[in-house]
Amino acid sequence: MVQLRVMTDDKQRGEEVLAVLLPLLNACTALQASEPTKLSHRGGGLRVVLDVQLAGAPTVTVERADELTGTRTRSGPPATRRPRARRALPPAR
């Protein structure tokens, strides 16, 4: 697990940093961030922890459009392919 921590003795400064950081994290599609957890700080400062992880790969859905284009698909076993003849490599120099 990856954690981001915002820790400072100046609570106001920490809140200002969080006000900029959280929208950036939420806008990033490559990362998923948990809700910030505020921890106690003895001196009255600020201590916030966020769990961050990579977002999963985007899901891509592909729909067949055969019916819309009027093309037909072949049903049954796949056609057998004949191996192609390869050209010979040129002689070595």
Side-chain angles (χ1 to χ4, degrees):
M1 170 176 26
V2 177
Q3 289 186 337
L4 292 179
R5 295 177 182 219
V6 177
M7 298 168 49
T8 179
D9 290 332
D10 184 354
K11 186 174 182 173
Q12 181 179 355
R13 178 89 170 147
E15 294 288 346
E16 291 170 357
V17 169
L18 281 176
V20 173
L21 180 63
L22 293 178
L24 290 174
L25 283 172
N26 291 330
C28 180
T29 58
L31 296 173
Q32 288 181 336
S34 69
E35 289 296 316
T37 302
K38 291 188 177 186
L39 305 174
S40 61
H41 189 282
R42 283 182 253 172
L46 182 73
R47 194 169 172 192
V48 177
V49 178
L50 296 111
D51 293 327
V52 180
Q53 60 185 341
L54 292 174
T59 303
V60 177
T61 305
V62 178
E63 295 181 19
R64 294 185 63 155
D66 295 346
E67 294 174 5
L68 298 176
T69 61
T71 59
R72 295 182 180 213
T73 58
R74 174 187 244 181
S75 60
T80 57
R81 296 180 117 188
R82 286 184 254 151
R84 292 187 339 189
R86 293 187 177 190
R87 295 186 321 185
L89 293 173
R93 293 184 187 189

